[in-house]
Amino acid sequence: CLRTVERNWAYNDTIRYYELLSESPTPYAYYGTMNLGRIYWKHGQYEKAGVLFKAALEMEKDSESNWNNLGGYYLYKKDYE
């Protein structure tokens, strides 16, 4: 019963869920970090999103979707190089 309550506590808040996932020592931490960055991007917090996109890139260097996220971030910053 307690485990169900704890799981629902995390699952009912998207930001909390991805924060917990990004901090966890699992191979899925990359997805938590990248998706948390996407949420911040959607809410206009571009600097927070950029930090998370860079952290996700360190975890998974071959992710095409994260390269796309970073491209959007650098386009926003007008850093074309």
Side-chain angles (χ1 to χ4, degrees), residues 20 26 56:
L20 291 171
T26 68

Side-chain angles (χ1 to χ4, degrees), residues 8-22:
N8 288 341
W9 175 80
Y11 289 165
N12 288 335
D13 183 358
T14 307
I15 293 175
R16 182 184 310 138
Y17 173 74
Y18 286 126
E19 283 176 345
L20 291 171
L21 184 60
S22 67

Side-chain angles (χ1 to χ4, degrees), residues 7-9 21-22 28 34 45 51 56 60 67 75:
R7 189 175 21 222
N8 288 341
W9 175 80
L21 184 60
S22 67
Y28 302 107
M34 185 179 65
Q45 297 178 351
V51 169
E60 189 76 33
W67 280 107
L75 187 64

Side-chain angles (χ1 to χ4, degrees), residues 14-68:
T14 307
I15 293 175
R16 182 184 310 138
Y17 173 74
Y18 286 126
E19 283 176 345
L20 291 171
L21 184 60
S22 67
E23 295 168 359
S24 68
T26 68
Y28 302 107
Y30 158 75
Y31 296 107
T33 304
M34 185 179 65
N35 288 324
L36 190 58
R38 287 178 177 173
I39 290 170
Y40 285 138
W41 183 269
K42 181 179 175 184
H43 292 293
Q45 297 178 351
Y46 302 115
E47 294 304 319
K48 273 186 169 180
V51 169
L52 290 166
F53 292 154
K54 291 175 188 176
L57 186 66
E58 290 297 316
M59 295 178 194
E60 189 76 33
K61 299 206 184 291
D62 295 332
S63 170
E64 292 177 12
S65 60
N66 197 50
W67 280 107
N68 186 43

